[in-house]
Amino acid sequence: MFKRPYRHYNRLVEISFWIAALWLAWLVVGWIVPGSLNLPQPIRSILRIAFNLNILLAMFVATARFMRDEYAERIWQQAAQRFVNFMMIGPLALTILIALNTKQITAALPGMMPPRLLDILASEGHPAVVFFGGIAATFLTVAQFLPQLFVIFYRWSLWRDSR
């Protein structure tokens, strides 16, 4: 398909990075100012499709070794090192933040979840269903964020190297 695929690698990373940045901005603005992103349904559907396709693109560029030249491979190694370090320290830091803010989280929880969902969780007769459903939802969320997080680390490493 491509005669020299390494020429396209950084372009694909750029595309994935900017879509991930847009997605992150979308999430943050929607979280800070609820209802501020009331776009027409067709536009929201197109954006959701683009964001989901970006997850696949991020997975591809993170694993497509055949597309990387020596320079891109060196940057990839740096990004991988930073990514692994983050994955070791990040959950610990998040756990500490949650532990320090348990009272605030517990107080805000009813406003964070739809009342119907809280009713379903409270009425569930089998706690294992809720437990394993939570694990499945966590894995799905992680699967969406990690490839894009790696692309962000790659872009950061590329930027650092260019300085």
Side-chain angles (χ1 to χ4, degrees), residues 79-94:
Q81 181 180 5
R82 288 184 176 109
F83 182 75
V84 169
N85 290 341
F86 176 80
M87 292 308 297
M88 295 297 119
I89 303 299
L92 177 63
L94 184 61

Side-chain angles (χ1 to χ4, degrees), residues 128-139:
V129 171
V130 174
F131 178 74
F132 289 110
I135 290 173
T138 301
F139 277 132

Side-chain angles (χ1 to χ4, degrees), residues 23-43:
W23 184 39
L24 183 61
W26 174 281
L27 291 175
V28 169
V29 169
W31 181 61
I32 292 174
V33 186
S36 64
L37 299 174
N38 289 334
L39 298 174
Q41 183 59 37
I43 294 173

Side-chain angles (χ1 to χ4, degrees), residues 34-95:
S36 64
L37 299 174
N38 289 334
L39 298 174
Q41 183 59 37
I43 294 173
R44 284 194 319 224
S45 296
I46 290 169
L47 287 174
R48 283 189 183 123
I49 290 169
F51 295 154
N52 288 328
L53 288 175
N54 188 50
I55 294 168
L56 296 175
L57 177 61
M59 287 177 183
F60 175 74
V61 297
T63 59
R65 187 176 203 158
F66 72 94
M67 289 192 74
R68 294 190 292 267
D69 60 358
E70 294 83 17
Y71 176 71
E73 184 65 26
R74 185 173 59 82
I75 299 297
W76 189 92
Q77 293 292 333
Q78 291 172 359
Q81 181 180 5
R82 288 184 176 109
F83 182 75
V84 169
N85 290 341
F86 176 80
M87 292 308 297
M88 295 297 119
I89 303 299
L92 177 63
L94 184 61
T95 302

